[in-house]
Amino acid sequence: AEDATECPAEDSPVPEAEEAAENSPSPARVKAEPAAASGPKWAAVPVLELAKVEGKGIRDLVFSPSGSLLVSASEDKTCRVWDCNSGNLIQLLPSDTAAGMEFKCCRFVSESRLVTLQVRRGRDSVAFVVEFVRNGEDGKFVLGRSVQVLKGSSATALHVHAPFLSVGDARGGVTLLDLKSLSKLAYHSTLHSLPITGLSTLPSDRAGGDDYIVSSSVDKTLAMVPARRPLFAGFGRFIVPAFLVLLVLIFRFALFSTAQVEEDGGIRNEL
């Protein structure tokens, strides 16, 4: 299976990481060292200055496919876009704070498309997949589509596996969406009994076969479901209008038949 690159569970205790974060200088320095000649040839990332968010932590980090951008989702309900070449902050993406939303995860689909997971906690908890698209003129990200994927439960993980997008939730279920349109394709509700902690993809071992979504949970189990479109996915927008048209035709035919019978009965009475 591919390595899971999911959001860490919020309540996962990591005392060593917390202690290291407290003792780290501000601003923090993140540096990727070049690999040894005998090892994998990873591209060296220049030193990147991350300005410390006062009193807040960083929930998620993701690099763009080219490695030129880094996006960080912070507990101050923002996403920051960094230039990896200069280390400068180039954009601040706010969440919908008026609706009580905050960023949970962020994932690059391509160099010009970023999808984020925004959640609102509490009794009226909801989760939205919010898309940001990069403007070709100034290179800034602008708000694209926003799709509600959960209601009454908080989202815990986001995974991009083209042509799909999957979201794990606190009830132990996984929502499958179409990556291009962000339309909901399926919901697997019985995978786990406790919150999802991570999502990944197991590629098919045969040509044309279905990949599998692999999920892990607080219940200490792994689950796999095929990443496939439902049989009638995409036909819903045609089926409903066609059904309504059919009902109208049946209704008109029934009215016409009743009127015809009454007319025939009136003619017989006159005769």
Side-chain angles (χ1 to χ4, degrees):
E2 297 178 0
D3 293 335
T5 56
E6 303 311 314
C7 320
E10 293 180 2
D11 300 328
S12 300
V14 191
E16 297 85 354
E18 293 177 355
E19 182 179 355
E22 292 177 359
N23 298 329
S24 62
S26 177
R29 288 180 176 271
V30 179
K31 184 177 182 180
E33 298 293 343
S38 58
K41 295 182 179 180
W42 299 103
V45 180
V47 174
L48 180 65
E49 299 287 349
L50 293 178
K52 185 177 180 181
V53 181
E54 189 65 29
K56 302 294 181 180
I58 295 176
R59 286 182 171 172
D60 198 20
L61 289 171
V62 62
F63 281 97
S64 64
S66 68
S68 61
L69 298 175
L70 174 67
V71 173
S72 60
S74 304
E75 290 183 355
D76 66 347
K77 302 180 181 180
T78 65
C79 269
R80 287 168 165 78
V81 183
W82 306 86
D83 185 337
C84 293
N85 295 316
S86 64
N88 295 328
L89 174 66
I90 59 177
Q91 192 174 0
L92 189 69
L93 304 176
S95 59
D96 188 0
T97 53
M101 307 298 291
E102 53 190 83
F103 286 107
K104 174 67 177 174
C105 307
C106 48
R107 294 288 177 269
F108 272 100
V109 178
S110 65
E111 200 71 23
S112 59
R113 188 182 178 205
L114 176 73
V115 291
T116 64
L117 188 60
Q118 294 190 26
V119 299
R120 183 178 67 207
R121 310 168 196 274
R123 293 184 178 179
D124 58 344
S125 58
V126 292
F128 283 79
V129 171
V130 182
E131 173 190 58
F132 292 91
V133 181
R134 201 172 185 187
N135 192 328
E137 296 180 0
D138 56 7
K140 299 288 186 180
F141 284 94
V142 295
L143 181 64
R145 290 167 293 181
S146 178
V147 178
Q148 181 176 322
V149 291
L150 291 170
K151 185 176 182 180
S153 179
S154 180
T156 57
L158 177 68
H159 182 55
V160 173
H161 46 108
F164 303 110
L165 176 74
S166 53
V167 177
D169 61 54
R171 292 178 295 202
V174 173
T175 303
L176 184 67
L177 299 95
D178 180 82
L179 183 58
K180 184 177 181 179
S181 64
L182 296 184
S183 58
K184 189 182 297 187
L185 299 176
Y187 179 64
H188 304 282
S189 60
T190 59
L191 298 182
H192 300 279
S193 58
L194 291 173
I196 300 288
T197 56
L199 294 168
S200 188
T201 306
L202 177 65
S204 173
D205 58 356
R206 65 182 187 278
D210 293 322
D211 294 341
Y212 282 84
I213 304 170
V214 183
S215 59
S216 61
S217 169
V218 178
D219 63 10
K220 301 179 182 179
T221 63
L222 296 176
M224 294 195 307
V225 291
R228 66 164 69 110
R229 298 178 186 277
L231 183 60
F232 297 104
F235 290 97
R237 58 182 178 178
F238 302 108
I239 292 177
V240 174
F243 180 72
L244 292 176
V245 170
L246 181 62
L247 284 179
V248 171
L249 292 176
I250 292 174
F251 182 70
R252 293 188 64 179
F253 178 77
L255 287 178
F256 176 78
S257 299
T258 303
Q260 188 68 34
V261 170
E262 292 178 351
E263 183 180 349
D264 292 343
I267 294 175
R268 292 194 187 95
N269 292 334
E270 290 178 0
L271 294 176

